[in-house]
Amino acid sequence: MDSHLRQLEDQSVYILREAYKHFDHLAMLWSMGKDSTALLWLTRKAFFGHVPFPLVHIDTSYKIPAMIEYRDRIAREWRLNLVIGQNKEALANGMNHTLGRVECCTALKTNGLKNLIAEKGYTGIILGVRADEEGTRAKERYFSPRDKHGDWDFREQPPELWDQFKTTFPEGTHIRIHPLLDWTEINIWEYIRAENIPIIDLYFDKGDGTRYRSLGCAPCTFPIKSTAKTVDAILEELRSTTVAERSGRAQDEGRGMELLRKDGYM
Amino acid sequence: MPTLVPSAPRASEHLNIVIVGHVDHGKSTLLGRLYADTGSLPEGKLDKVRDICRRQGKEFEYAFLFDAFLEEQEQGITIDTARTFFTWEGRHYIIIDAPGHKEFLKNMVSGAARAEAALLVIDAHEGVREQSKKHGYLLSLLGIRQVAVIVNKMDLVGYRQDVFDAIEKEYRAFLAQLKVTPERFVPVSAKLGDNIAKPSAQISWYSGPTVLETLGLFRKETARERQTLRFPVQDVYKFDARRIITGRLAAGRIKVGDRLIFSPSNKTATVKTIEAFNVEPVPTEATAGQSTGITLDEQIFIQRGEIASHEDSVPLVSTTFRSNLFWMGHRPLEAGKKYVLRLATREVECEIVALHRIIDTTNLAAREVKTSVGRNEVAELTIRAKAPITFDLYSDFAVTGRFVLVDQYDVSGGGIITEAVKDEQTVLREEARRRDIAWVKGDVGAEDRARHFGHRAALVLITGARHAGKSMLARRLEVQLVADGRHTYLLDAANLRRGLDADLSEEDTGEIVRRFGEVARLLMDTGLIVVSTTNALGGADHQAIRTLVHPTPVITVHMSKGEEAPPPDTDLAFAGPKDFEAIADQVMEELKRRGVLAQAIGAKPQFHYSI
């Protein structure tokens, strides 16, 4: 493996082991996308083939059906403890993206997650966000506290140095853990190739000249024009593109992401 | 987006760079300009930000490209560090833009702590300012030796060489006191793009590298794997048949067959396997920086926080050390108050025993003596941990020579160790270490005995004044433990006086205590629980006994007739009239809680207890 990928892996594994050591009520978010699936693979690396905490999927009910099939197959094969969260109340009241993208993400994803955290009493949530995805994530910590309402106070982030992380916190608050912060989109694909990780096939062109570059809910996620059918072809394409990765993600428009993330979005 | 040019020697080389300097000296502008002039921004990003500025009726600034928060753009300052990714001539950079405002020093430190090299920006018009110096000092404290100074806003001083030369002279002299030699000084105007990605026609008197070329001239940190081994234990896993000791190598390399010594417990064992998931062929060694896992040839009880090394180059062990520390806490750091010390994976309570001086980073020679260290101040101080810790001097090993202090919930200070300080236990601790390293072990280890006996070895020390019931309890406890099937022996210190200590007089208290400790250590090596009263020994001697029997657990039970404060480190205290049977039961509960007597403890299974 490339020495930089190796370093990224070593750092992520160290963070995962710190999280497991310090948090009794720990869970990992898994969206079935390339990042959180690479993170799940890193977890198996860190714990020598085991996944010693539950994997949480916040199901908005609008996910692409192939994602659910993939989720259940991998969960079976890797013997995962899968926990599914859903904001049933918001769905019953008819929440969908036509009522506003930010409103929909807040209700179904942010609040879906907050409800589950409260119900299960999780104090540590591991997420696959990366600094190169968008501006506010570039300013995240590996261990990032959220207050009693799940909100992120970016003005008062804890110091983080020498791999000494924030692992103590007042009751009622929780910590978001970001082991992939230093990885870029290209690094993720290089790692998927190096480790031969079974990734969902929505990322590949299956003949119609389109593929997904970033996965989310069906109504708000759009495929890109691409004929990349393999991981190699994706890497080739990424190295020559200047289009942002999340250009197919509608909630990123305007100041959407800062507002969402301040309120506890992933 | 720059095309990837695979230049052979560093095709996949990555370098972490931090940009630091006083507020408003143009760090974010420099970063934005660097991306824009090398075509490294995503498509449409520049137009999008220009458009937002037009709509908000303000002048476009390159700084807005990375100041993602609305508040940062409104105030025109960077609040928190951003990690940005940049590739040039086949080399990949993570460039960290650190805030220069005094209020956000903790964010600057968080960013700079990850860097291998730094660009320090100084405004040509304003000159060297307070944070220019403080950042320079912190870079040296954080161990960043590669520093290039970027003299920005040259356009505001008419691109005059004498202004540039004066700043170079002044700042070089300051860095020299920190023993930092900057790589170079580069005159630029980030706003106008002079000397950022291409040489400036305006600054014809300068023929050195541009900022972009300066990045290319930074060297990759030399590998720590050439040092001797330091392997801090992060955790012990037993998910399946393997008992895996995990951690990240701080220095050196570890190979199958290596004999390791774990400090401060002084336990030794040989590496049987290096464990990894999905790695073919199975690795036989691991090197500095790697997160790895090992199994050992014998089951020894190892805890998080110990540091493994080879026997010929062991780390330091003491409770006390001298250090340079910077403080980021909301509340001042106070001498005499308790904090949590974290060093590699070790976590222990500590206290500031001496605050030697506050370091004025604008005048390094100044001596200011205070009793507390304020937010963003740097100090020289002596720290004493509650229990012996393993460490190195920062000048020898970076990772095991630095630490943080936690105040309540927050990491609030970071420091480097400059000197190990001897404490009153140093002589005995070194004796114990020499003894343990040289110890000839049989084929039956402590874990085998523990499995066989159903308990681990431990020392129950019963303290208190005369006639407080110590002896009664000791006898009762021995009877109850033996009745429960536990191998226990009552060792009265007085019993050694006429035999083993027959050559000593009453005044040889140090030697009396030392012999008692060694005898207890020997009995416990056989797997026994040793119960002892301490009338023959003074309170100060308990520490000596702890040192000699370390790391075997010592449970201290204090007995008194009336209410009195028990000595420090007391585990259980009983006052007034006694029901000895009930007290003995409580001591046995404590032995269970401490993992001496077998039982599942805590909510999470404690895998390292195999019994």
Side-chain angles (χ1 to χ4, degrees), chain A residues 202-220:
Chain A
L202 292 171
Y203 284 108
F204 305 107
D205 168 35
K206 280 167 289 198
D208 65 352
T210 68
R211 66 178 194 87
Y212 286 93
R213 189 171 165 195
S214 176
L215 290 179
C217 295
C220 295

Side-chain angles (χ1 to χ4, degrees), chain B residues 356-566:
Chain B
H356 307 293
R357 67 164 180 142
I358 303 289
I359 298 166
D360 178 351
T361 49
T362 60
N363 175 10
L364 298 172
R367 296 198 73 87
E368 189 190 354
V369 181
K370 296 203 297 189
T371 53
S372 68
V373 184
R375 187 172 166 89
N376 298 335
E377 283 186 326
V378 187
E380 255 179 56
L381 36 81
T382 297
I383 293 179
R384 185 184 176 111
K386 201 177 167 195
I389 55 169
T390 310
F391 59 90
D392 288 290
L393 300 188
Y394 184 72
S395 52
D396 296 333
F397 291 88
V399 177
T400 48
R402 64 196 182 194
F403 63 93
V404 299
L405 293 185
V406 180
D407 184 14
Q408 205 179 8
Y409 298 116
D410 302 312
V411 171
S412 299
I416 57 172
I417 300 176
T418 54
E419 190 186 327
V421 178
K422 287 195 163 104
D423 59 30
E424 55 272 28
Q425 298 300 320
T426 298
V427 173
L428 285 181
R429 196 179 295 124
E430 281 169 7
E431 173 194 310
R433 199 173 203 186
R434 279 192 301 274
R435 174 246 283 153
D436 290 342
I437 292 176
W439 198 267
V440 180
K441 290 198 257 188
D443 291 338
V444 182
E447 295 299 311
D448 300 315
R449 289 184 206 281
R451 243 191 322 275
H452 185 70
F453 290 161
H455 64 82
R456 288 175 187 288
L459 176 61
V460 181
L461 263 186
I462 304 173
T463 63
R466 280 179 192 283
H467 309 301
K470 296 193 300 295
S471 180
M472 292 285 282
L473 175 62
R475 283 155 198 282
R476 183 68 226 165
L477 187 60
E478 185 190 28
V479 168
Q480 266 177 240
L481 280 165
V482 170
D484 200 36
R486 320 292 186 163
H487 298 63
T488 309
Y489 183 72
L490 175 66
L491 176 68
D492 194 311
N495 293 349
L496 304 185
R497 290 292 293 116
R498 299 287 166 257
L500 184 63
D501 294 344
D503 59 327
L504 300 178
S505 72
E506 294 288 339
E507 287 78 55
D508 297 326
T509 49
E511 182 60 13
I512 289 171
V513 170
R514 195 188 72 82
R515 290 186 189 180
F516 175 84
E518 288 292 348
V519 169
R521 157 75 174 67
L522 203 55
L523 290 174
M524 289 189 288
D525 198 46
T526 72
L528 289 183
I529 297 170
V530 174
V531 179
S532 184
T533 57
T534 55
N535 269 351
L537 311 166
D541 301 324
H542 295 160
Q543 276 311 323
I545 294 166
R546 283 175 190 271
T547 300
L548 287 169
V549 305
H550 181 83
T552 311
V554 178
I555 288 95
T556 311
V557 182
H558 187 72
M559 307 286 281
S560 60
K561 278 195 267 190
E563 294 294 334
E564 62 177 41

